[in-house]
Amino acid sequence: MTPAAPAYRRLSVEERRSQLLDAALSLFAHRLPEDVSLDDVAEAAGVSRPLVYRYFPGGKQQLYEAALRSAAEELEHCFDEPREGPLLPRLARALDRYLGFVGRHDAGFSALLQGGSVVETSRTTAIVDGVRRAAAENIYSHLGVTDPGPRLRMTVRMWITAVEAASLIWLDEGKEPPAGELRDWLVEQFVAVLMVTAGRDPQTAELVRGALAAET
């Protein structure tokens, strides 16, 4: 008897859209956006070019922005953490989710960061900056700060930039050191930069004496 062929299942609208976004992210991660065509996306997803247009009638730019937004929304959720318990374990759990996303979606993560520096449109830059702002706001909230001064804002933004850079290098190095070691290192760096800033900024000094005193 001839084995029965597997039953064909038509993808739902959301499933098809997700398939196209995943294919686009993989391509945008390794090429400049202008070097990726809708034919490339269609081929990567195993569909026709007209089908891509059906879901993204605005063409490649609409698809590119949608792909970035999809990665950004998922990444923003990595920073969601209840404001309970000691500060540094909370930060470590957020970094666990962040590095987990990077490890699972390395192509999408690379494409997301490319969107902030390669594509010269206000919309794509806003998508990437939105992730950074969300991360910063979550950190201020965990620190118990509602009105961060310029030195504290600069310190937090510098650390977020360092986390992004370390994540890209981590991917280039074959995800070495192990994620848990990288997480702990990044937490230690956060404490270190806060302590350096505390020597110049009374607001940060108060944080170090308060929120971090019992943990460092």
Side-chain angles (χ1 to χ4, degrees), residues 102-106 169-179:
V102 174
R104 292 191 307 274
H105 306 289
D106 51 350
I169 295 170
W170 182 62
L171 292 176
D172 285 343
E173 294 291 336
K175 300 179 183 177
E176 288 292 337

Side-chain angles (χ1 to χ4, degrees), residues 75-98 134-135 137-139 141-143:
L75 194 55
E76 284 185 16
H77 287 305
C78 295
F79 303 109
D80 294 338
E81 178 67 28
R83 273 58 172 170
E84 302 171 353
L87 172 63
L88 297 186
R90 280 184 266 155
L91 181 59
R93 289 191 292 271
L95 283 172
D96 277 337
R97 288 191 292 274
Y98 183 91
E137 290 301 323
N138 270 278
I139 291 172
S141 178
H142 284 294
L143 290 171

